[in-house]
Amino acid sequence: MNILILGSGGREHALAWAVMQNPKCDRLIVAPGNAGIAKIADCASLNADDGGAVVTFAEENAIDFVIVGPEAPLAAGVADRLRDAGILVFGPSEAAARLEASKSFTKEICDAANAPTAGYGHFTDAEAAKAHVRANGAPIVVKADGLAAGKGVIVAMDEQTALDAIDDMFGGAFGGAGAEVVIEEFMEGEEASLFVLCDGEEILSIGTAQDHKRVGEGDTGLNTGGMGAYSPAPILSAEVEAKAMEEIVKPTMRVMAERGMPYQGVLYAGLMIKGGQPRLVEYNVRFGDPECQVLMMRLGAQALDLMQAAAEGRLADARVNWAEDHAITVVMAANGYPGDYQKGSEIKGLAALPEDSMNMVFHAGTKAEGDKILANGGRVLNVTARGDSLTEARDRAYAMVDQIDWPEGFVRRDIGWRAL
Ligand code: AMP
Ligand code: GLY
């Protein structure tokens, strides 16, 4: 089977690593890929958001199966174009991708599904939004409706912050994403994520994870794309996961199908858990980054079979072969991230590290220059390890971190602290 993965981050390196181990995979191309991916697969330059270009590329390269990594191509309808061309693809349609691309859409679907989530108001003008904030008081959460690269959510602990956020959003700070605004009740609790595969009808859980969104230790400081993750997330116990499936995920998928938008791909449910009750924070229509890295570490080669089963509508017969193991990934980021940072510094010591089913350094923002690996982004490496316990996995991951010689980068030293 010839496989094309769209994307260029640590998530896509982890997907490529899992897919490559499956004997079904004859050839793997990742577009655009990165320096780490280039060591295990062919990389091609391709605009992943351009459905026509992706279809042409897939046809020219005799691709049998396309796996879409990030949300932007999905929101742009790339999966629809591939399906129209008769090419097997893992990822939802443009219509179904609105579960990530529009917060108000998701809230309406949750209403119809009677899924537990934060109370909300949906606004198209600033004055009405501000009146809602004044009526409800802080803490309160202001969200740009559209895709804003993870930056469109302001958790306002006081009223003025919320009012300012509304002005920013309607003032165009998030471009078109902020033309509509959703204001939500502030939910307390602990966050964790549930990942399920869907084939339009059937749903299969493929694991839980917890991300660390803040840049600083103890979950302090600015929000980032994620500084580390681990799987499984103990807060998502079997009981809580079953509740999330029955009360949130299954009803959502049922409503999507009833409305003519059956969901196919991975659904990432961000949950807030308090007193054993999960509530939905958000859906994403793709794997999390870096959560994907820990899920792939635990699933290995079977990930390809599972994604293919979802794409072919065969999830009813699919099973996950679970090991009672734990995985952790520590993000190495460029000094200054998530603010300004330099690109181009050299990362040394990678060649001496183990690369096997227990230890992997996935690349995110890297670039090769001759034999050298250079930093080429904010989040640069995902140092990932597996173990019989989270402690064992963590010790293994940080032992690798300590062998990497990159003074221009930093890590959080406390990944996994909530579970440990
Ligand atoms: P989102 O992009 O919707 O996941 O929001 C980003 C982050 O904001 C989430 O991971 C939560 O930490 C926080 N957040 C979003 N919505 C709420 C809410 N209603 N109550 C409390 N925190 C929230
Ligand atoms: N790590 C958070 C995300 O992928 O959205």
Side-chain angles (χ1 to χ4, degrees), residues 5-6 9-19 67-70 90 193 195 197 206-211 225-226 228-231 266 268 286-300 303 307 327-329 331 360 362 379 382 384:
I5 297 177
L6 299 179
R11 168 179 51 208
E12 287 75 23
H13 190 181
L15 288 168
W17 173 82
V19 163
I67 298 167
V68 184
F90 178 77
S193 305
F195 292 84
L197 298 183
I206 55 162
T208 63
Q210 197 169 45
D211 186 11
Y230 60 93
S231 172
V266 60
Y268 157 170
R286 49 165 176 89
F287 283 106
D289 187 348
E291 294 92 323
C292 185
Q293 288 79 316
V294 285
L295 295 175
M296 291 304 127
M297 202 77 197
R298 295 187 63 209
L299 292 170
M307 290 188 281
I328 193 166
T329 186
V331 171
M360 265 306 294
F362 296 116
R379 291 191 297 169
N382 308 136
T384 311

